[in-house]
Amino acid sequence: QVQLVESGGRRVQVGESLRLSCAASGHTFPEIAMGWFRQAPGKEREFVATISWNSGNTYYADKFLGRVTISRDLAKNTGYLHLSNLKPEDTAVYYCAAGGATHHEVSYDSWGRGTEVTVSS
């Protein structure tokens, strides 16, 4: 299994932007895709976006369209999630995962420990 480490989460103000990173260990990212999920306090984990590792094709949950951009750097074996116009309801732990290019958690077999984002009003 690939090992994933998220970073970049911090406390920000409403309206600010933030870029989260997910570094994958190993020489080559072995999975089909990298996905990002988030879990807000007291809520279930939800899908945010996924990117096919080789083609760069992306897929977003409807609610994040226009505010979230997923990308990856093949040379660095790192994925990114750019969040813009952050709102208090974006406060959550953000997880990256490696696996199939779907919105289903069960498609992903490797998970990072998460990085926490807090949006203050």
Side-chain angles (χ1 to χ4, degrees):
Q1 283 187 335
V2 63
Q3 292 187 339
L4 304 171
V5 179
E6 303 95 334
S7 62
R10 61 181 177 89
R11 180 180 293 272
V12 296
Q13 298 296 312
V14 168
E16 288 189 27
S17 297
L18 197 60
R19 188 181 78 166
L20 307 180
S21 301
C22 177
S25 65
H27 297 290
T28 305
F29 192 73
E31 303 290 346
I32 296 173
M34 178 179 284
W36 285 91
F37 294 76
R38 75 178 190 183
Q39 187 166 20
K43 295 188 177 181
E44 293 185 353
R45 190 157 57 186
E46 63 177 339
F47 169 76
V48 178
T50 187
I51 184 166
S52 295
W53 199 249
N54 289 327
S55 69
N57 291 335
T58 59
Y59 173 68
Y60 297 90
D62 287 346
K63 66 185 290 186
F64 299 109
L65 284 172
R67 289 202 307 124
V68 169
T69 302
I70 190 171
S71 62
R72 89 277 190 253
D73 185 324
L74 296 178
K76 294 182 178 180
N77 246 12
T78 299
Y80 303 98
L81 187 71
H82 185 267
L83 310 170
S84 63
N85 191 24
L86 284 162
K87 307 172 183 179
E89 51 265 39
D90 293 317
T91 294
V93 178
Y94 287 74
Y95 299 90
C96 67
T102 79
H103 61 283
H104 298 294
E105 287 191 35
V106 295
S107 298
Y108 297 86
D109 49 20
S110 298
W111 291 81
R113 294 187 175 184
T115 186
E116 188 169 3
V117 174
T118 302
V119 185
S120 301
S121 57

